[in-house]
Amino acid sequence: MSMETPPGTLTLRAERVACIAPGVVSVLLRDPRGAALPPAEPGAHIDLHLPDGGVRSYSLCGDPADRHAYTIAVLAVPGGRGSGFVHGALRPGTVVTVSGPRNSFRFDPSPRYLFVAGGIGITPLLPMAREAARRGADWTLHHCVRSAAGAPLRDELAAIGGGRVVVHAADAGDRLAVDALLASPVPDTLVYCCGPQRLMDAVATAAVAAAWPAGSVRFEWFTPPAGDVADAGDAAADGAFEVVCARTGVSVTVPEGTSVLEALDAAGVRVDSSCEQGICGTCETAVLEGEPDHRDSVLSDAERAAGRTMMICVSRARSARLVLDV
Ligand code: FES
């Protein structure tokens, strides 16, 4: 591994690497000297820097109250660079570079929660359910899996409130009736959903059809939601603009068809990125001057309006010039 340790990253050691379900490996990471780690809210993820220079985001599924360990669970994905490294090369004792934690899937206070997970999408929802239980909130978690026996993190879920967890096992013919679950808005309830695209689309469609209040149904997207893709087609804002890097003094023109991230990279200004689709938050960059044209799925409406940061992998500029804190 020839990679330099970038600033703002952590060097951690894999203490435990274990298969916890078919095709799923859990990795527990600690500081090699036992130092406390930066706090992580439920729903947060870390960025794992791969030996080939790539970066992949993984939700933290351990207990946020444990300040000395981060735990991730990684599903084997054919051809996946991140899962290939975790499943193929990561062993107890392997030292890795990590940045974060970041949180683009914020867990807000509520008297009641409804969690909907599909497969490995349970990872950000487990710490949320744990925190909901700790706060004494009313919560229910629906977990859609291929088989109950192979459900990832089922022991951890059982430990925090097995009676509140409903497992829908496809091999038993039990499929979650999303439309019925969300048929009418439940007062004082936040819905958090993470899983395969088909499940999240079904939840989003059902929530719209039943008129759940804006902001009450939240998703951890793995691909950009359809609405955001449509926004990206705003031709009026697709033209070239200038980006000035306040810290490095570099100035670049971002042409049509090129992202800010790509333009900066070509100019030798490196900003960490992972999804490059505006969904993970890794490339979030502070805006010092100018008006961003937000095209991500990370920032809230209020954060977009404030314009203090932007995801430079997808977002562009409404002003002729942006000054970024890089
Ligand atoms: Fe994921 Fe930009 S790299 S939001």
Side-chain angles (χ1 to χ4, degrees), residues 37-58:
L37 302 176
E41 297 292 317
H45 66 263
I46 55 171
D47 292 329
L48 180 65
H49 295 241
L50 307 177
D52 66 5
V55 179
R56 288 294 179 269
S57 303
Y58 295 105

Side-chain angles (χ1 to χ4, degrees), residues 86-105:
V86 170
H87 283 254
L90 192 58
R91 299 283 179 266
T94 302
V95 172
V96 295
T97 301
V98 160
S99 53
R102 307 171 200 274
N103 199 345
S104 50
F105 194 35

Side-chain angles (χ1 to χ4, degrees), residues 233-308:
D234 180 358
D238 273 348
F241 55 95
E242 183 189 12
V243 168
V244 177
C245 305
R247 276 193 258 156
T248 57
V250 171
S251 180
V252 297
T253 297
V254 182
E256 183 174 350
T258 298
S259 69
V260 176
L261 181 72
E262 291 167 337
L264 291 184
D265 191 52
V269 179
R270 169 136 193 194
V271 177
D272 281 348
S273 64
S274 179
C275 70
E276 300 188 6
Q277 298 181 87
I279 55 176
C280 73
T282 301
C283 69
E284 184 170 11
T285 300
V287 179
L288 303 177
E289 283 180 46
E291 186 186 356
D293 175 14
H294 296 291
R295 299 177 178 203
D296 62 277
S297 311
V298 176
L299 298 177
S300 65
D301 289 346
E303 289 166 334
R304 287 173 179 233
R308 291 200 195 92

Side-chain angles (χ1 to χ4, degrees), residues 51-111:
D52 66 5
V55 179
R56 288 294 179 269
S57 303
Y58 295 105
S59 297
L60 293 171
C61 57
D63 185 351
D66 181 355
R67 291 290 311 281
H68 289 81
Y70 291 151
T71 303
I72 58 174
V74 180
L75 175 69
V77 177
R81 286 163 67 189
S83 72
F85 167 66
V86 170
H87 283 254
L90 192 58
R91 299 283 179 266
T94 302
V95 172
V96 295
T97 301
V98 160
S99 53
R102 307 171 200 274
N103 199 345
S104 50
F105 194 35
R106 223 175 8 238
F107 184 62
D108 284 333
S110 177

Side-chain angles (χ1 to χ4, degrees), residues 22-34:
V24 178
V25 161
S26 162
V27 181
L28 184 139
L29 300 165
R30 291 191 195 276
D31 180 279
R33 288 156 302 184

